[in-house]
Amino acid sequence: MERLQKIIAESGYCSRRKAEELIKSGKVKVNNTIVTELGTKADYNDYIEVEGNPLSKKEDKVYYLLNKPRGVVASATDDKGRKTVVDLIKTDKRIYPVGRLDYDTTGLILLTNDGELTNFLIHPKNNIEKVYVAKIKGLITKEDLKKLCNGVLIDGKKTSKSKAKILKIDKKNNSSVVELIIHEGRNHQVKKMFESIGYDVLKLKRESIAFLTLDGVKSGEYRSLSIKEVKKMYGEKND
Ligand code: URA
């Protein structure tokens, strides 16, 4: 049982103070009975009406970290009927991915029904760090790496500063592996950044978002985030 004004406010209908006013003025019904007393408690399963509107129930928030395999669409639905990241998770909640990963990109993606956390993570002002590992065609030079770090023009706008390091140079196969750390989430950002300095991305994987990594989560598998991890995400804002 919980105070009625708290249940109303949590549903997102209005603020707690406004809910108190509505209760006092006889605009709230619990199981078809008008309630005007402020201390009244109700159950989340009670049928509550505010100003004649049935109150929608607060949905429990869920958070998943998925290791996305190649060949899966990072959206809730797909008009071509392809498998989506949501199909890989067993839940009865209406979840959706936080941001995008391309069809052929693998690695860490979060899924949730929490709009507030989603907005926080994708808003550029919060500068959430994302680590990618890209296998590219060609032997990358230190000069080109520096260009990436200082920012390159993609779609007419310069990318913000990033960090990059060479993990492998494979002369035999004419390819390189580079770790790139960025704070933005523009469309196809990593591929376009490499293209802008003359390299095609052959394979791309996201290794981490903020402090969250793929440790212990195999390709195609997922785990729930703990409430502690969700709270810690809000402390991840980089200025
Ligand atoms: N950048 C890309 O180009 N693709 C992704 O999937 C993610 C980041």
Side-chain angles (χ1 to χ4, degrees):
M1 298 286 274
E2 196 50 85
R3 281 176 176 259
L4 193 47
Q5 60 266 41
K6 185 163 182 247
I7 296 178
I8 297 171
E10 278 181 354
S11 78
Y13 187 88
C14 60
S15 68
R16 203 182 287 204
R17 181 167 305 170
K18 177 77 183 161
E20 288 173 359
E21 280 170 25
L22 292 168
I23 294 169
K24 280 194 278 183
S25 57
K27 302 257 173 64
V28 176
K29 280 186 189 169
V30 177
N31 301 326
N32 297 317
T33 305
I34 294 179
V35 171
T36 53
E37 200 156 325
L38 266 192
T40 306
K41 289 192 170 174
D43 191 275
Y44 283 99
N45 287 319
D46 283 331
Y47 176 69
I48 300 170
E49 249 180 54
V50 185
E51 298 179 302
N53 305 303
L55 203 68
S56 47
K57 297 225 185 326
K58 187 181 88 169
E59 200 178 41
D60 287 338
K61 299 286 183 263
V62 289
Y63 308 88
Y64 299 101
L65 181 163
L66 170 73
N67 187 348
K68 177 190 169 303
R70 214 173 243 260
V72 177
V73 187
S75 60
T77 55
D78 182 54
D79 49 15
K80 293 189 191 128
R82 293 172 298 181
K83 193 181 258 188
T84 75
V85 284
V86 171
D87 294 334
L88 298 179
I89 291 177
K90 281 200 194 88
T91 177
D92 55 357
K93 302 281 188 297
R94 273 176 299 157
I95 56 168
Y96 49 84
V98 177
R100 286 291 175 103
L101 279 185
D102 296 334
Y103 190 65
D104 59 351
T105 300
T106 60
L108 199 159
I109 188 160
L110 298 175
L111 295 103
T112 183
N113 55 354
D114 183 347
E116 193 189 344
L117 185 72
T118 303
N119 288 338
F120 177 82
L121 291 176
I122 64 179
H123 202 294
K125 79 167 191 249
N126 296 322
N127 273 323
I128 303 297
E129 185 173 286
K130 289 144 222 144
V131 178
Y132 291 89
V133 171
K135 181 176 179 190
I136 57 172
K137 198 167 165 204
L139 308 178
I140 195 163
T141 62
K142 290 229 168 79
E143 293 72 51
D144 282 340
L145 212 61
K146 210 177 260 171
K147 284 187 204 159
L148 274 188
C149 297
N150 290 333
V152 288
L153 260 194
I154 60 170
D155 303 323
K157 196 169 165 247
K158 200 172 168 190
T159 56
S160 59
K161 286 209 178 332
S162 62
K163 288 185 200 144
K165 116 173 147 199
I166 299 172
L167 299 181
K168 190 174 170 190
I169 296 278
D170 185 345
K171 286 192 182 147
K172 203 166 129 227
N173 291 306
N174 188 36
S175 66
S176 316
V177 178
V178 178
E179 180 188 83
L180 181 64
I181 304 179
I182 60 174
H183 294 89
E184 300 163 295
R186 290 162 62 184
N187 222 0
H188 310 301
Q189 175 153 351
V190 175
K191 290 177 186 167
K192 284 181 179 170
M193 284 175 76
F194 279 106
E195 270 162 27
S196 78
I197 54 166
Y199 301 91
D200 279 340
V201 171
L202 303 172
K203 263 189 188 173
L204 183 61
K205 181 174 187 185
R206 183 155 65 196
E207 294 283 350
S208 67
I209 297 178
F211 59 89
L212 295 171
T213 68
L214 289 168
D215 281 357
V217 185
K218 296 194 189 104
S219 176
E221 293 185 351
Y222 64 92
R223 71 169 176 90
S224 294
L225 296 189
S226 67
I227 290 301
K228 212 166 143 196
E229 286 175 314
V230 173
K231 287 198 174 138
K232 195 170 168 197
M233 289 302 265
Y234 285 106
E236 283 293 312
K237 190 172 163 167
N238 287 293
D239 293 316

